[in-house]
Amino acid sequence: MSRSSSTNILDRPLGRSGARPNSSSEGTVVSLSAFAYIYSELVQYHQGRAASISELERRLESAGYGVGLKVLEMTAYRAKETKRETRLMSILHFVSSSVWKSLFGKAADSLERSIDHTDEFMIIDYEPIASMFVSVPADLGQLSADAYVSGIIAGVLDGAGFSARVTAHSVKVEEGEYTKQGGNAMPGMPPRKDKAVFLVKFSPEVLSRDTALER
């Protein structure tokens, strides 16, 4: 997937990394404007049926969960992958690299492990597409517009046999932080003030299994 510098930002595909024409990794390209419109409608649809912010986020996560199951199957098929990931870090790297590239045309910006909790990991994206054109009103100030993507991550992990609770959080980007990571603002767009942090908390069964495999 590629974006031509001569086209308007809203008419460019979702993928952010270059791909050779006619390559198997290119896949179907969706314009950013089309995705932004459809996602806006999805959020409004569930907003009208949710009684609280937490319920709205659960609805968005549920909508993304089924997509995650299909993305896992599609990504494994395209890569002609016959082996199944059994280790915790391996599946996290698969999500933050292969799955992210399949969905957004680039790997996630960072994968980190929580210092305080051994069962928690963080996938960080400085340019989350789902919330790029979403303006959260004051009465929904705590809403994470990236909840849909957290549902996709949960679907991929669950489908691969790694049960986890995934939540999306919007965190302020510190001055110079994105530059230090080697990132740049998307062409035609101002630097983002917030980054998306997807917190992955694995179930005790997954951690026990991973510990047993280390022996």
Side-chain angles (χ1 to χ4, degrees):
M1 289 188 262
S2 62
R3 287 179 171 172
S4 171
S5 58
S6 62
T7 57
N8 184 281
I9 183 66
L10 294 178
D11 294 324
R12 297 174 188 171
L14 291 178
R16 284 176 283 194
S17 65
R20 297 186 302 273
N22 302 321
S23 69
S24 60
S25 63
E26 187 170 13
T28 302
V29 174
V30 179
S31 72
L32 190 54
S33 57
F35 172 80
Y37 174 76
I38 293 173
Y39 187 64
S40 163
E41 291 296 310
L42 176 70
V43 173
Q44 291 181 59
Y45 173 84
H46 288 296
Q47 181 181 353
R49 291 161 175 77
S52 63
I53 296 174
S54 59
E55 183 183 351
L56 175 55
E57 289 182 340
R58 285 196 299 271
R59 282 175 167 270
L60 292 174
E61 290 170 0
S62 180
Y65 182 86
V67 175
L69 295 174
K70 293 179 174 62
V71 167
L72 172 63
E73 182 179 356
M74 177 194 69
T75 306
Y77 175 78
R78 285 180 176 174
K80 296 181 173 57
E81 190 63 66
T82 56
K83 70 172 185 177
R84 174 187 170 190
E85 298 290 356
T86 58
R87 301 304 305 274
L88 189 147
M89 288 305 302
S90 296
I91 193 64
L92 283 172
H93 282 298
F94 172 75
V95 171
S96 62
S97 58
S98 299
V99 171
W100 232 258
K101 289 178 182 177
S102 176
L103 291 172
F104 310 124
K106 64 178 285 293
D109 293 299
S110 179
L111 171 62
E112 302 175 7
R113 185 165 194 163
S114 172
I115 299 176
D116 301 321
H117 305 282
T118 58
D119 60 344
E120 293 182 352
F121 296 80
M122 292 164 284
I123 299 175
I124 300 172
D125 192 339
Y126 284 95
E127 291 181 348
I129 285 180
S131 59
M132 182 172 292
F133 301 108
V134 175
S135 178
V136 180
D139 60 328
L140 295 176
Q142 298 302 314
L143 171 68
S144 173
D146 294 297
Y148 179 74
V149 179
S150 66
I152 294 178
I153 298 171
V156 172
L157 292 174
D158 209 20
F162 292 82
S163 178
R165 174 77 176 107
V166 185
T167 52
H169 306 271
S170 183
V171 180
K172 290 290 183 183
V173 176
E174 297 180 6
E175 185 176 355
E177 178 183 355
Y178 192 17
T179 304
K180 290 178 182 178
Q181 292 288 340
N184 296 292
M186 187 180 295
M189 297 294 294
R192 293 289 299 270
K193 295 181 180 180
D194 300 312
K195 62 185 175 183
V197 177
F198 300 95
L199 181 64
V200 182
K201 185 179 180 65
F202 287 100
S203 66
E205 295 78 11
V206 171
L207 294 175
S208 298
R209 184 181 66 200
D210 195 65
T211 301
L213 289 173
E214 289 181 352
R215 297 170 185 169

